[in-house]
Amino acid sequence: MVEVLAATDKIIDGYGTDREALVEILREVNDEGGHLTRAHLQRIAERTNLPLSEVYSVASFYTMISLEPLGRHVIRLCQDAPCHVAGGREVWEALEHEFGIPFGETTLDGQWSLLTTSCIGACAVGPVIMVDDDIYGNLTPDKVREIVARYREADAQDAASESQGGPA
Ligand code: FES
């Protein structure tokens, strides 16, 4: 816990404690640990002199910030209208079927989380997903399955190389 808060303090020190820095602080602390805990939010509230309720409210507004642990890979499907009319519903169903979980959940093995997001600025190539930090557009259910298969293959190769004593 002490280390976690020390890391949070370091990030806050880098941005300063003005209210304007709040979103960047939340984003970076989130990226560091994969999600924000109550301890993170309390520390950020203390250091920025903001009410915890405000810090929580800002954190829960942004889809790129999570208040719960997420999977190793996070898939975010754009749910805004241009992507939706371009076939987002079919992509949604393909993803839920592929992982056997509804959106908002993480697979039991902790490998995949399915989340929605608002527009990520790639409307011209909708429907669009982000897998971790990578954006994929012009999706169909088949393309989505191919993308997921590539990640699974890469993960399997990583696991094999780790079991042989580290990266090749
Ligand atoms: S509406 Fe989906 S990326 Fe803009």
Side-chain angles (χ1 to χ4, degrees):
M1 176 66 76
V2 173
E3 285 162 26
V4 168
L5 294 181
T8 301
D9 280 341
K10 199 168 164 201
I11 290 168
I12 296 169
D13 290 343
Y15 284 102
T17 55
D18 287 349
R19 197 206 171 287
E20 291 71 43
L22 179 59
V23 174
E24 284 306 309
I25 292 169
L26 289 168
R27 190 193 50 72
E28 192 164 330
V29 175
N30 179 84
D31 289 352
E32 186 103 339
H35 72 290
L36 296 176
T37 64
R38 186 174 175 85
H40 288 128
L41 297 174
Q42 276 173 332
R43 183 61 141 224
I44 293 167
E46 281 165 21
R47 293 282 316 273
T48 55
N49 267 324
L50 292 167
L52 179 59
S53 58
E54 182 175 344
V55 174
Y56 176 84
S57 164
V58 172
S60 53
F61 177 78
Y62 288 94
T63 53
M64 295 301 176
I65 295 171
S66 178
L67 298 173
E68 288 175 19
L70 296 176
R72 172 176 183 171
H73 299 295
V74 179
I75 298 182
R76 291 183 164 88
L77 170 68
C78 173
Q79 62 173 0
D80 278 0
C83 278
H84 185 74
V85 297
R89 183 78 225 169
E90 289 73 21
V91 170
W92 172 295
E93 287 169 359
L95 284 166
E96 286 193 336
H97 186 262
E98 183 70 22
F99 295 109
I101 55 169
F103 269 79
E105 299 283 327
T106 296
T107 54
L108 282 178
D109 62 5
Q111 291 294 298
W112 298 88
S113 294
L114 294 180
L115 302 177
T116 56
T117 180
S118 51
C119 179
I120 51 176
C123 327
V125 293
V128 167
I129 59 171
M130 280 183 79
V131 184
D132 305 328
D133 293 326
D134 296 320
I135 296 176
Y136 299 91
N138 290 319
L139 294 174
T140 62
D142 281 346
K143 281 189 187 170
V144 163
R145 285 188 280 271
E146 281 169 28
I147 291 165
V148 170
R150 287 208 300 268
Y151 278 83
R152 283 184 165 138
E153 197 176 316
D155 287 349
Q157 283 174 2
D158 285 351
S161 107
E162 275 166 27
S163 73
Q164 288 167 10

